[in-house]
């Protein structure tokens, strides 16, 4: 597995700027970063109005490390993901529910029926595999299964430092 999980210093700036904007709109907000930004935290959310995740996204090529299912090859890297990847590369097998990698398959089990918007401020989160008769399988499919009403995903790499301003402009136009 070749995932580049380099630090994303722009996410702190993004949180700060979005927090300021949401505060002016009287939106209740919860920000988590570092070790607090875990899979269990995301799983525990019960249909937030907006779910904004600023982290690394991934879509692995078919057959990478024996994974054929595109719903397991697509996901988000959260707290603990770097050590889980290292463990897997060394032959270990971390528990899937706490490995820090929130796959599209796991996303499909989230409770987001009343979530108006899921915004993934992450690289290539809109990628997936086209399966005849099924459509595109990846994070988009997972969030649709979870009940999310609207999605903002990317099909390309995004610049971490410029994304904060883009997100403020985006939310400013939406709210």
């Amino acid at each position: 597995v070749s995932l580049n999980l380099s630090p994303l210093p722009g996410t702190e700036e993004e949180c700060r700027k979005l927090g300021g904007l949401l505060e002016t709109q009287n939106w209740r907000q919860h920000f988590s970063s570092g070790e607090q930004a875990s899979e269990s935290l995301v799983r525990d959310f019960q249909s937030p109005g907006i779910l904004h995740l600023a982290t690394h996204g991934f879509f692995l090529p078919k057959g990478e490390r024996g994974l054929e299912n595109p719903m397991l090859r697509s996901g988000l890297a959260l707290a603990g993901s770097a050590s889980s990847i290292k463990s897997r590369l060394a032959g270990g097998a971390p528990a899937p529910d706490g490995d820090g990698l929130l796959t599209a398959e796991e996303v499909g089990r989230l409770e987001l029926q009343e979530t108006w918007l899921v915004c993934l401020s992450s690289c290539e989160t809109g990628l997936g595999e086209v399966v005849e008769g099924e459509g595109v399988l990846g994070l988009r499919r997972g969030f649709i299964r979870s009940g999310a009403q609207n999605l903002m995903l990317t099909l390309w790499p995004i610049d971490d430092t410029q994304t904060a301003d883009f997100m403020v402009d985006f939310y400013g136009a939406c709210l």
Side-chain angles (χ1 to χ4, degrees):
V1 178
S2 56
L3 292 176
N4 178 10
L5 300 179
S6 59
L8 298 170
T11 58
E12 293 294 328
E13 179 73 3
E14 187 174 329
C15 288
R16 188 184 63 71
K17 286 183 174 184
L18 286 178
L21 174 66
L22 295 174
E23 191 173 303
T24 65
Q25 301 292 317
N26 295 318
W27 279 69
R28 190 171 53 106
Q29 49 192 298
H30 173 87
F31 289 100
S32 295
S33 62
E35 292 303 311
Q36 286 74 44
S38 66
E39 276 184 88
S40 61
L41 176 72
V42 175
R43 276 196 208 95
D44 289 345
F45 283 131
Q46 297 292 311
S47 290
I50 295 174
L51 177 59
H52 181 96
L53 298 169
T55 187
H56 288 287
F58 63 88
F59 184 74
L60 300 172
K62 191 172 190 171
E64 182 78 34
R65 304 288 296 164
L67 294 175
E68 295 298 320
N69 182 346
M71 298 296 283
L72 297 175
R73 291 186 282 122
S74 178
L76 300 167
L78 299 169
S81 59
S83 61
S84 292
I85 290 169
K86 287 178 187 172
S87 173
R88 284 181 191 209
L89 291 173
D97 286 343
D99 64 0
L101 298 170
L102 185 65
T103 67
E105 185 73 30
E106 293 169 320
V107 165
R109 295 190 294 267
L110 298 176
E111 298 288 333
L112 302 176
Q113 289 78 14
E114 295 177 32
T115 299
W116 174 71
L117 173 67
V118 171
C119 183
L120 301 180
S121 180
S122 310
C123 295
E124 302 174 335
T125 53
L127 297 180
E129 183 175 312
V130 177
V131 176
E132 192 172 324
E134 290 289 327
V136 178
L137 299 181
L139 279 169
R140 180 191 173 284
R141 174 65 60 94
F143 279 106
I144 295 299
R145 280 184 184 166
S146 72
Q149 298 168 28
N150 298 287
L151 304 172
M152 181 176 179
L153 312 171
T154 62
L155 293 172
W156 50 85
I158 58 176
D159 183 274
D160 180 49
T161 57
Q162 295 176 355
T163 302
D165 291 330
F166 174 82
M167 286 299 164
V168 169
D169 291 343
F170 172 74
Y171 280 105
C174 291
L175 301 178

